[in-house]
Amino acid sequence: MALQLYLDLNSQPCRSVYIFAKKNKIAFEYKAVSLAEGKQYSEEFEKVNLLKRVPALKDGDFTMAESVAILKYLAGKYKTPDHWYPANLQQRARVDEYLAWQHTTIRFHGSRLYMFKGLLPLLTGEPIPAAKMDEAVSDLQASIGCFEDKFLQDKPFIAGREVSLADLVAIVELMQPLGVGFDPFKDRPKLSSWRGRVEAAVGKQLFDEAHEKMLKSSETSSNLDVKSPAMQRVAISLKKAYM
C-alpha cells in the first residue's frame, strides 16, 4: 500500500510535510481533509488519527500524527539528504532546539493572528476586540525578534549553511499571516533575506504551489456554511485555543 498523507494545505504543518515529501521525491497518495468543513472530525479520519488533527500519515498498517514526528520519520525512512536532519550531533541539536521552541511561540502567535484576522470573526459573527488584536500582533513580533536574534543570528539558515527541517517548519508558519493581509516580513531585511534563501532551496515553484491555497483563504472562507454543526464545532475549538 502506498504511503498516504492526510493534509489540508491551509494548515502550516501540512505544508511543511507536503513540501518536504515533494522536494525529496517521496511518492505518496494525497488524502484531502478540509479543516474548514470540519472533516477532521469524521469517523473515517478518526480511524487514521484519534487526535482529529492534520497532518496524519498512514504507511501500510502504521499510522502517526504530529508534523515534526512525521517529518523525522520521512527523513529517516527515505534517507533524505543529510542537511534536512543532520547526522552531526550539534547541528541536529540546533534543528531540534528550534522545533521544540516554536510550538508556543512562532506557531501559536502566527496562528492566533491568522485566526483573529480571518476565520474567527466569520464563524462567531463578532469582531475581535482591539486589545486582543494588538496583543496578538505584539506577541508575534516579539517571537519573530527572538527568532532572528537567537535562532537565525547571522547564519544563512537555522542550523548553519544549508536548509533544514527547522527552516521549513519556520517558513510555513511565518507565511501564514500573509493569508489575512499581515506581512511579518515587512521592515525585517534579515528575515526577508532568509525567506528568499529558503524559497530558493525548496524551489520557487513548489513553494508557491504549497502556499497558493492559503494565500487565497480569505476568498474561499466566504463560501463556508458558518451555521453548520461542523463549523460551530470548529468555532468552539478555535475560541478555546486562541481567545
Side-chain angles (χ1 to χ4, degrees):
M1 184 182 296
L3 174 72
Q4 296 176 330
L5 295 177
Y6 291 75
L7 308 169
D8 181 338
L9 295 185
N10 276 321
S11 156
Q12 309 92 298
C14 287
R15 293 198 300 274
S16 68
V17 171
Y18 179 85
I19 290 171
F20 183 72
K22 286 278 193 175
K23 176 64 178 177
N24 288 285
K25 297 181 171 56
I26 298 171
F28 66 93
E29 181 182 353
Y30 185 109
K31 307 285 282 187
V33 181
S34 174
L35 298 177
E37 296 175 10
K39 298 299 184 183
Q40 67 273 34
Y41 300 121
S42 69
E43 290 184 12
E44 179 185 358
F45 184 62
E46 188 174 350
K47 294 174 184 176
V48 178
N49 184 11
L50 281 169
L51 300 177
K52 302 175 184 177
R53 298 170 65 181
V54 289
L57 172 150
K58 192 172 190 297
D59 190 4
D61 295 330
F62 178 73
T63 61
M64 71 181 304
E66 297 301 320
S67 58
V68 169
I70 290 171
L71 288 167
K72 292 180 182 180
Y73 176 82
L74 294 176
K77 175 170 181 175
Y78 294 97
K79 297 179 173 58
T80 57
D82 183 74
H83 63 83
W84 288 110
Y85 195 50
N88 177 276
L89 180 62
Q90 292 188 354
Q91 285 183 308
R92 177 170 289 200
R94 286 294 177 221
V95 174
D96 285 334
E97 181 184 35
Y98 176 77
L99 295 177
W101 175 81
Q102 57 92 27
H103 293 286
T104 57
T105 50
I106 294 289
R107 164 133 184 80
F108 178 78
H109 296 142
S111 296
R112 189 182 190 212
L113 186 59
Y114 178 81
M115 293 303 174
F116 278 9
K117 284 184 168 287
L119 201 53
L120 260 173
L122 184 66
L123 292 177
T124 63
E126 300 174 357
I128 301 299
K132 285 281 187 182
M133 187 69 78
D134 291 344
E135 178 186 76
V137 172
S138 178
D139 285 346
L140 178 59
Q141 295 287 23
S143 287
I144 293 173
C146 187
F147 173 75
E148 289 185 315
D149 295 341
K150 157 65 179 168
F151 293 96
L152 193 55
Q153 298 178 13
D154 294 319
K155 299 173 294 185
F157 299 100
I158 293 171
R161 302 209 59 80
E162 293 186 270
V163 70
S164 71
L165 293 181
D167 299 284
L168 183 55
V169 169
I171 194 63
V172 295
E173 297 292 349
L174 288 167
M175 288 293 293
Q176 194 74 6
L178 288 169
V180 288
F182 182 86
D183 186 357
F185 303 95
K186 184 180 179 181
D187 300 324
R188 289 188 178 272
K190 179 188 290 189
L191 195 70
S192 296
S193 295
W194 166 79
R195 172 187 170 179
R197 290 191 292 272
V198 177
E199 286 188 23
V202 166
K204 189 69 165 61
Q205 183 175 346
L206 174 57
F207 189 87
D208 290 346
E209 173 192 322
H211 287 89
E212 181 179 11
K213 181 180 179 182
M214 182 276 295
L215 292 173
K216 296 179 179 177
S217 58
S218 59
E219 300 173 15
T220 57
S221 294
S222 59
N223 298 322
L224 294 175
D225 180 4
V226 297
K227 299 298 183 182
S228 71
M231 283 295 87
Q232 288 306 299
R233 188 172 181 180
V234 171
I236 291 169
S237 176
L238 292 177
K239 287 179 74 174
K240 284 182 178 179
Y242 297 113
M243 293 297 289

